[in-house]
Amino acid sequence: MDIGDVMEQQQPNRGTSATISQMDILQTLIDISRIITTSHNLEETLENTVDLIAERMTVDVCSIYLYDDQQDNLVLMATHGLDKQAVRKVQMRASEGLIGYVIEKRAPVNEVDVMKHPRFKYFPSINEERLASFLGVPLIEHRKTLGVLAIQNQESRQFTQEETKLLLTIASQISGLISKALLVDLLQHATDGEQAPARPADSFQLSGVPIAPGLAHSKIVLYTRARLDEPDYRAERPPDEERASLRRALDESVSEILDLIQELTDKVSETDAAIFHAHLLFLEDRGFLNKVDAHIEAGASAAWAVSQVVRDYLKAFQSIDDPYLKERGADLEDVGFRVLHHLGAEREAGPAGDREGILVAELLTPSDTARLDPTKIKGIITTIGGHVSHAAILARSMRIPAVSGIEHLRTMFVEGEDVLVDGETGNVFVNPGDAVINVYQRYEESHAQFLSHLEDLRDVPCTTKDGQRITLRANVGLTQDLGDIGRYGAEGVGLFRTEVYYLMRNTRPTEDDLAGQYAKVMEAAAGQPVIFRTLDLGGDKFPSYLHFPKEENPFLGCRSIRYQLRRQTLLRDQLKAILRVAHMGQVKLLFPMISHLDELHHVKRIYNSCREELLERGGELPRLDIGMMFEVPSAVIMRDLFAGEVEFLSIGSNDLTQYVLAVDRNNPHVSHLYDPLDPAVLIMIQQLIACAAKFGKPIELCGEMASDPEGCPVLVGMGLRELSMNAPLIPLVKDRLSRYTLTEMERLADIAQHSTTAENVRRNIHLFLHD
């Protein structure tokens, strides 16, 4: 269960609580107020509070978890009835367990037997067998979720309505006071100065961000990357000699990168090695080189000029909101480090040398990761680096489990100590005990069996329990995703995100560049359908070289098809490149974010013009099926007009949810309102499905909703037969859909559409699937 660590000592079963009088309730609230006003710090406040609640409500366990909405993380801060050493060590994501379920629902969760609940999750070192009944309520202050107050008993029973009301009353009483205590605690730490937390004694658990799946158990190998000192500004040679030195360093860097690409191609794959082509682009970028040359002309040394321009670029990268683009800063730093080395700076030969174990480092560049030996380095723990970083992509390709986001590495980790890394959940266990190790060994065995089951599903068509055929395709953006098409049994590409190639470059690709890239996609698809979506840039993602306008609200501004129609040469290059590879297989064309009929007419005219231009160059061209994405409410409302103009319909559930609910899911203040299973979104999806049937047109849905284990059965029940998702999730969706008949999923869809809120939809889905 997600309620702490091992029980301290076996306590007598308290049984069903006696009826609580109004006087007892009043006295309890008075006593809690006294505790909060007389306690000296946050820990003391919370500890005294859970002790009092456990005593007055006669329960075996009472715990308080605090929620960090920035990290989406829950931490056990106080407990009565559990091992006190679990405090601050037991952490979980808001998507995990019943405690996380309370956060998601923002409402009470009352369960007779937690082991039977679909949200139950086993956390290592926690004694589920002793605890059954669960009641958790959210701590909310001014609509901000602060955490969860939970009670439990060892016996299986339903907590009464009276007990639920009492716990809700207590929660409302203490939420504001906890909020103030948190503020005082924050101010206290701020005035004390920033210090690294003390290292817990013996074994302990940390929670980070999972970036490469798998389990690893070995010894800690600490690594500190070499930091180059700032080179001297003043050049000792004339500018021409500094430029010659720079040219040699650039040539040596290019040669080194080409060798690395070949080495990685042999070790992993050509698509993964292609990551380093972005490094070559940096070295050839005229804007970058011109800035370096300007500093040299002004009297700076080549080394100082490179160092300064790299620093300026890194500052620009860090100001970008898009996480994918921000992670590209590590690539630039890697390139700068390499060039400076060839200008005379020293650097380490490799991140770990011949050492074996779990590599612990603040940051790993792509080059650092590429030089790792997977037979020696069993896992990776870092502070910096997200899921879309090139280092993370390489770690996944090399099958090295990795966790990022772990702070204070030098305080928490000691060379040679034992550590267990869980790349699935982001959990890290330092000096894990036998109980943790045994749990993970059992988990590995069961997980291996499940993966074997999924592997068996790879080449099996997706069908419901009663044989209804469902087509599952892959969403693809990165070159390295292409290998996933066959690896996970995708039936082609349901969405190729053409903008990712633009985002990875520092210069605008030519028609020939695009045609070469798209040819690789067609080869990987091996004759199966490929749907190319034209550029969906703008909002929170755009390359600097395209000079997007600065807007107050870019998501409602000049993005996607609107930008393409303003920069028609971009659209024409894409369309001609797609037409040039259309003979290689089944190609379809998809236009994003169409909101008005004249936009669709305009892009179709441009398409016909591009086709005529290529026909004049010579050769036969197939005529492509043209579709549009329904992701704007106005398009859904006018769906009949649009359906008559296209060959197929595609539902972009991510943006449709955002625009229907008027919620930016990246905004922490409102992200809790974002849910594609909201009845308003479901109604629009149902209208589009009915429209497609009316016109006899194929319809697909691409977006996170397609792979949501709760969402995909609803979508099939509503009538969708084509779904597109990230390829690694396809076997999981196959497994989920094969468990239910079409009739059952149709009943589920009807229940979902007649629910009143997204919370009700998910609650009803849980109940239905649980039954």
Side-chain angles (χ1 to χ4, degrees), residues 243-508:
R243 291 190 182 95
S245 178
L246 173 64
R247 186 68 262 167
R248 285 193 297 273
L250 292 172
D251 291 342
E252 289 167 349
S253 297
V254 169
S255 178
E256 200 171 70
I257 291 172
L258 290 173
D259 289 342
L260 184 57
I261 289 173
Q262 185 57 53
E263 179 185 341
L264 264 184
T265 300
D266 297 336
K267 184 191 297 187
V268 185
S269 70
E270 182 179 355
T271 53
D272 292 309
I275 283 173
F276 285 94
H277 286 296
H279 292 210
L280 295 174
L281 292 173
F282 276 127
L283 295 175
E284 298 167 357
D285 181 58
R286 294 311 310 169
F288 177 85
L289 296 176
N290 288 339
K291 288 180 172 63
V292 172
D293 188 71
H295 286 302
I296 293 175
E297 183 64 29
S301 67
W304 186 92
V306 170
S307 176
Q308 182 62 38
V309 174
V310 167
R311 271 199 298 271
D312 291 342
Y313 272 52
L314 287 176
K315 289 178 183 177
F317 270 109
Q318 290 308 307
S319 66
I320 298 173
D321 291 331
D322 183 81
Y324 184 86
L325 288 178
K326 187 175 291 188
E327 293 289 357
R328 299 291 74 79
D331 293 83
L332 177 59
E333 185 177 7
D334 199 347
V335 171
F337 199 95
R338 191 183 298 278
V339 174
L340 289 171
H341 163 64
H342 289 298
L343 284 170
E346 293 298 322
R347 65 179 294 176
E348 296 184 1
D354 293 330
R355 292 185 290 171
E356 297 186 17
I358 308 291
L359 191 67
V360 177
E362 181 182 356
L363 167 70
L364 288 180
T365 66
S367 293
D368 292 332
T369 311
R371 292 197 303 271
L372 295 179
D373 183 349
T375 65
K376 294 179 178 179
I377 297 302
K378 309 298 183 183
I380 298 171
I381 301 170
T382 62
T383 299
I384 301 170
H387 193 269
V388 294
S389 70
H390 280 161
I393 292 167
L394 287 171
R396 292 194 289 274
S397 298
M398 297 165 74
R399 303 297 188 264
I400 302 177
V403 172
S404 185
I406 303 293
E407 302 284 349
H408 311 295
L409 297 179
R410 288 291 165 183
T411 303
M412 296 297 175
F413 296 93
V414 176
E415 179 86 20
E417 282 193 334
D418 201 33
V419 65
L420 190 152
V421 175
D422 183 350
E424 299 279 356
T425 65
N427 290 325
V428 173
F429 300 90
V430 179
N431 295 319
D434 290 341
V436 173
I437 295 172
N438 291 336
V439 165
Y440 269 96
Q441 286 177 342
R442 292 197 301 271
Y443 168 77
E444 276 196 285
E445 293 170 1
S446 62
H447 190 59
Q449 292 176 355
F450 181 61
L451 290 179
S452 176
H453 166 63
L454 294 183
E455 180 67 21
D456 293 339
L457 292 175
R458 183 184 64 184
D459 298 323
V460 176
C462 178
T463 59
T464 63
K465 190 175 181 179
D466 53 348
Q468 173 64 53
R469 185 74 167 83
I470 309 296
T471 300
L472 303 182
R473 298 195 176 101
N475 295 338
V476 174
L478 295 167
T479 306
Q480 53 265 28
D481 293 338
L482 296 176
D484 291 345
I485 298 173
R487 186 178 302 137
Y488 296 104
E491 299 179 70
V493 178
L495 176 66
F496 185 79
R497 300 184 178 100
T498 58
E499 62 275 1
V500 176
Y501 184 57
Y502 283 75
L503 294 171
M504 293 179 64
R505 296 175 57 97
N506 293 318
T507 57
R508 176 180 157 184

Side-chain angles (χ1 to χ4, degrees), residues 103 345 478 542 625 630 663 715 757:
I103 290 290
L478 295 167
F542 49 84
D625 282 352
F630 286 83
V663 172
L715 294 175
T757 67

Side-chain angles (χ1 to χ4, degrees), residues 597 600 628 630 634-646 649 687-695 697:
L597 192 61
L600 182 58
M628 62 169 277
F630 286 83
S634 62
V636 179
I637 293 170
M638 306 295 288
R639 56 193 175 274
D640 282 6
L641 286 177
F642 287 113
E645 298 275 349
V646 294
L649 289 69
Q687 290 172 341
L688 289 169
I689 295 170
C691 173
K694 174 182 175 182
F695 283 85
K697 301 289 176 71

